[in-house]
Amino acid sequence: MFSHYLRHAARLLAKQRLHTGINVLGLATALGLCAIIAVFIKYEHSYDAWHENLDRIYRVDRVDLNPDGSVDGHSPAHPFQLAGALERDHPDIQETVRFNDTDVVFRIDGALHQEDVLFADASFFDVFTYQSVYGDLRTSLQDPASVVLTESAADRLLGPGNPIGRSLQVRYTDSFHEVVVTAVIADPLPNTNIPFEVMMSFERLPLVYEWVAERVDSWRHSSFPVYVLLREGANLASATETIESLRVQYYPDMASRGREQGWWTGEGEPATYALIPLSDLHLRSDVPGGFVATSDPSYSWILFGIGLLILVLACINFTLLTMGKSAVRAEEIGVRKALGAGRWEIMTQFGGESLLMALLGLAGGLLLAGLLLPVANSITGSELDLLGEPGVLVVIAAVALLSGLAAGSYPALMISRHRPTEALSGRFSMGSSSAITRGLLITQFAASVALIAGALVMQAQIRFLQEQDKGYDPSNIIVVSTNGTDEFRLIRHLRDRLGPQPGVLGVSGMSLSLNRGYSSSVWMAGDVERRAFVYNVAPDLPEFLGMDMLSGRGFDSARATDSTNAVIVNEAFARDWGWTPEEAVGQLVAEYGDEPEIIGVVRDMNFRSLHEEVEPMMLTQSEGWLSHALVRASSAGTPQVLASLQEAWGEFTADAPLQYTFLDDDVALAYEEDRRWARIIGISASLAILVACMGLFGLAALTVSRRTKEIGIRKVLGASVQSVMLLVSREFAILVVVATLIGAPLAYFGLGRWLDGFAFRMDLAPWWFLAAGALVLLVAMTTVAFHSVRAAISDPVKSLRYE
Amino acid sequence: MIKTESLSKAYRTDEVETTALNGVSIHITPGEFVSVMGPSGCGKSTMLNILGLLDSPSDGSYVFNGTEVATLSERQRAQLRKGNIGFVFQSFNLIDELTVYENVELPLLYLGVSATERKERVGAALERTQIMHRKDHFPQQLSGGQQQRVAVARAVVANPALILADEPTGNLDSTNGEQVMKLLTELNEAGTTIVMVTHSPADAEYSHRTIHLFDGHVVTENFMSKTYAV
Ligand SMILES: Nc1ncnc2c1ncn2[C@@H]1O[C@H](COP(=O)(O)OP(=O)(O)OP(=O)(O)O)[C@@H](O)[C@H]1O
Ligand SMILES: [Mg+2]
């Protein structure tokens, strides 16, 4: 029996190529996408999952509280001494690991390499699980002059082979020191909160970095993340209680002093400690990331929803087309019943056909997923691996079979229900006119409209952000990292070398490129907490970036005090202190350093992401470092300027490689995540409408074939080509319009919520939704037109005879 | 074998009610070859469908092989139908995606007959209808006459006691029609009861008697000159 059904089904599928093609392709698209999404979600949920102690590893966060006790924010950075104190005072803490990550320049065989180095305590390999390729991990970080590499970093820097014992030159400020390779680990999985390729001993930090040495004894400067390993059997609640009480022990008079000075009005402490499970860290959007950004789990679920939606669309196609096709098979069903088939046999047969189709879809889907995985990886910035996830594959296979059953069961039920005589006489039809068909079609189109509106609006919002007047001009600015070299000498050198060149519009310098790290200061002025982002800049930076000076003046190199005790602030700063831009000029910044004088106020510039309001900002000249030279090129001259920059750098130093970015790109980094999601939604929307249109294509084919005779008669009676096309398309057009009315409001609410996450948001004009509806209508009509035109221009006699 | 009493069938659509059969009482004994004639729309196919347990009557009684079947459910009728009744249709109604062999095999599959026995019986049926040489062809590759012979083979393969044929020669030329009629006659002679709807008086000649229907009524029953054993 089984082989009979299989043979029959295989021949049938081969015969009904269009029908089979649409169903299989639709299912394959949906299942392929679902497979990728499933792997992605699994990836997102298994950050650091391989550590044997995962359930006992926590990050220590300082939680700043509001007076009412609610959480103001988390900070994972701590004083140098905290880890030791916790190990001593907290009975549940077995081990602690401190971290710091810094760019370090290595000299290997004369060549310079800049590497992002993670410094960690020697306990790192006791707490976290890694596979050693060479060397003993437990002792690998004990010597402060040791370095541990991942296998790929070792290959890249030192070539193949066992590198244990090799010494590398590391540059600290101006001199090179020697470190020795003590271990090589197998490349860890990419989904980790603590990624590193090169690890060095934390103990080395205070020995070589002055800023660390200065802070070794300070409980006021917080710079180092601390992870802890709780003892086996320790209870999180009591461990948390203990660490909260330790906070009071380490900072005994914070609350009372705050109340005394008036900046703290709360009952409890202004800050406490919390233990964040490492296993949760990646998807905790309410806390700062580990050494990589956390991700918002809601995006995972939105993606999951989209995958499901497209799967539903494909299943709807499946159901609709199977029902449409069943009219053609009425006779067969009648015969089978007359020959002894019961309802159950017919249902089994049709169910089996659906399953077969689902299996084909599954095969296609996995193939598609394999092909699309590299694309998905480049968009999501992850390293997904399909074959490494047998669990996901099993789930997808189950989903495929379930969809086959779900989509095939309704038609099977309907088809098998008919009496044999009805079937034999072809008197039943389950055509596109039934309410269920219409409902399903409307669902498909509504989903398409909503997704397309989403994609359009997301793109538009990102364009809106980028086109916002930022208050400065970031175009064609090359940001050159000083890479630890003498910054003033570098800027002078670049001015001398590049300044006179025709393509160069200016050279300047600042401490941080935009969006590549922040430096913000918080201090008490009287009884008010003040906060400002601080950029240390070259004197000409305001003009160089094209900032608008609202009042006062820029830095003047001729005035000695300008380089020691003068600042330029933005409007937001003045507003925060209750001044107009004019009033602000001449004021002193109370209780900040040596109380610098405000010499000018610039118009608010969006120096951070437009997700946020512009915050108070201070430009100073006195805070020591610049760390980035800026070169503005004319738009045509950029390539030549880059070439001369390379040359000039070579003349300047042989101790560090040239590293640069474009300010434009740095600014765009703030919208990276948004742009990524806009792309993902855009692609999903395209896939959704593709699947919906494939179904529409098949349905239109069925409609036209069913109405061939009617169309023939109408044409014999004098109907025009247009009127015949209208006849076929009208019904679908009405459905799209209804779908727009349903899908648009849904999209409106969803997008409204998304836009609320931006401080600067575009208005949601109704025409976005009309445009989405129009687009769907256009695509739908084009799809239907293929068939309606064929029907309309075909020879009426032929269509009559055919019937 | 077949005994109906005031059998009626009415089709109800939204507005109109069509009475297809109106108080039909007939009696067919085992081994008979009966033809049913009458103008188009008089209810011949309707009657045949009810006799074949494909449909249920609206009213009246129908005793098939000693069982009252008028009130049976679709499922019970299907059960009774299996293996007891064979059908031959005007438009052959072979399944396009199945070969000749597979089409004929189908009733046995639904009966759950074992593979070896299936092979034997399908072979025998194909031999009997002289279509064995085409067993691996698909229906579209056969002529109308050949297709109807396959349909007859399919109708007899399960050895049913009753074969119902609705205008079996309606789509055939006279030579092919004759061939099919000869086949049916042979089957009848071998003991199978046959009820056949036809428009052709020539075909009706092959049968023992003819039931004339008009507007859902039995009008006359003509006995052929040939005699038959009860
Ligand atoms: N499913 C149905 N629904 C409504 N009316 C039906 C249905 N089937 C048959 N009829 C009606 O019942 C009557 C008898 O139909 P039937 O098919 O039995 O006629 P027939 O004698 O076989 O005609 P023909 O010689 O043309 O095949 C006709 O008036 C027909 O319109
Ligand atoms: Mg008829």
Side-chain angles (χ1 to χ4, degrees), chain B residues 39-46 48-49 90 166-167 197 199:
Chain B
S40 184
C42 70
K44 303 184 295 291
S45 298
T46 305
L48 208 65
N49 286 339
Q90 175 177 0
D166 195 345
E167 300 183 43
V197 169
H199 281 289

Side-chain angles (χ1 to χ4, degrees), chain A residues 421-422 425 427, chain B residues 9-13 16-21 37-49 55 90 166-167 197-199 213 215-216:
Chain A
T421 45
E422 289 173 294
S425 61
R427 270 204 181 83
Chain B
K9 178 74 181 174
Y11 290 108
R12 228 165 266 112
T13 49
V16 278
E17 191 181 293
T18 320
T19 308
L21 286 181
M37 295 188 77
S40 184
C42 70
K44 303 184 295 291
S45 298
T46 305
M47 185 175 92
L48 208 65
N49 286 339
D55 209 347
Q90 175 177 0
D166 195 345
E167 300 183 43
V197 169
T198 183
H199 281 289
L213 279 185
D215 218 1

Side-chain angles (χ1 to χ4, degrees), chain A residues 742-760:
Chain A
I742 294 170
L746 289 178
Y748 183 88
F749 286 118
L751 288 168
R753 286 193 52 186
W754 181 71
L755 286 173
D756 285 342
F758 292 87
F760 295 80

Side-chain angles (χ1 to χ4, degrees), chain A residues 1 4-5 7-8 11-12 15 331-332 335-341 345 419-421 424, chain B residues 49 54-56 74 81-82 87 89 93 95-99 102 106-107 109-110 138 154:
Chain A
M1 199 67 181
H4 167 83
Y5 283 151
R7 245 173 315 166
H8 179 241
R11 288 180 199 144
L12 198 73
K15 193 166 132 198
E331 181 192 310
E332 176 203 329
V335 172
R336 283 181 183 273
K337 284 202 158 185
L339 296 181
E345 275 96 355
R419 287 168 173 238
T421 45
L424 273 172
Chain B
N49 286 339
L54 293 176
D55 209 347
S56 56
E74 154 76 17
R81 203 158 62 214
K82 254 195 218 182
F87 293 90
F89 305 99
N93 283 358
I95 294 175
D96 287 343
E97 294 80 26
L98 299 181
T99 61
E102 289 162 350
L106 206 50
L109 277 172
Y110 286 128
F138 286 95
R154 188 176 63 181

